[in-house]
Amino acid sequence: MNWKRLRACVTQVTGALIVSDDGRVLARDVSGEHPQHLGPRTAEALRAALRLAAAAGHGTAHELLVRADHGWVGAYTAGRSASLALVTAPQANVGRVRLEARRSSTRISALLDGAPEQQENP
């Protein structure tokens, strides 16, 4: 994962992880103890989002974004068996976060699921 590119596109990102479906941290760019707790919670949150979307009859959930007192926390599906968690500062541009998280999730999916990565427009 190219953390530098993500952080350059969204400077308010303060942490990022790639997490397996069972909550194991596969890669990270975050300091402190967050990864040990954030990994399993990200997997749990996405499972809950999947159940919520299904109960509403809206199909499969692909992302979850939470506004908290000290910033935003996002979880995005990344292929068949992983997810991307992002932590941001409170002033983050949520539209930009979502856009870049989706792009990053697509690249992660291509790497983990073995699909050829699609070219993006610069």
Side-chain angles (χ1 to χ4, degrees):
M1 176 68 198
N2 188 346
W3 302 118
K4 287 181 184 178
R5 179 172 191 249
L6 177 61
R7 286 185 182 261
C9 291
V10 187
T11 57
Q12 298 88 6
V13 168
T14 59
L17 328 150
I18 301 171
V19 180
S20 68
D21 281 351
D22 64 0
R24 287 180 297 121
V25 176
L26 303 175
R28 69 181 189 156
D29 180 21
V30 64
S31 60
E33 293 300 315
H34 293 293
Q36 283 64 28
H37 302 292
L38 189 56
R41 298 302 174 261
T42 298
E44 288 173 22
L46 278 175
R47 285 192 296 271
L50 287 167
R51 291 191 303 272
L52 179 63
H58 280 39
T60 302
H62 300 283
E63 61 187 65
L64 177 67
L65 190 60
V66 177
R67 186 178 73 134
D69 291 337
H70 302 291
W72 295 84
V73 181
Y76 302 83
T77 59
R80 295 184 296 264
S81 61
S83 56
L84 170 66
L86 292 180
V87 180
T88 76
Q91 71 275 16
N93 177 329
V94 177
R96 187 67 181 188
V97 169
R98 292 177 70 205
L99 176 68
E100 293 304 327
R102 290 173 183 168
R103 287 179 177 166
S104 294
S105 293
T106 298
R107 287 191 298 274
I108 293 164
S109 176
L111 292 169
L112 295 178
D113 294 344
E117 188 171 349
Q118 296 188 6
Q119 295 293 321
E120 294 179 13
N121 294 329

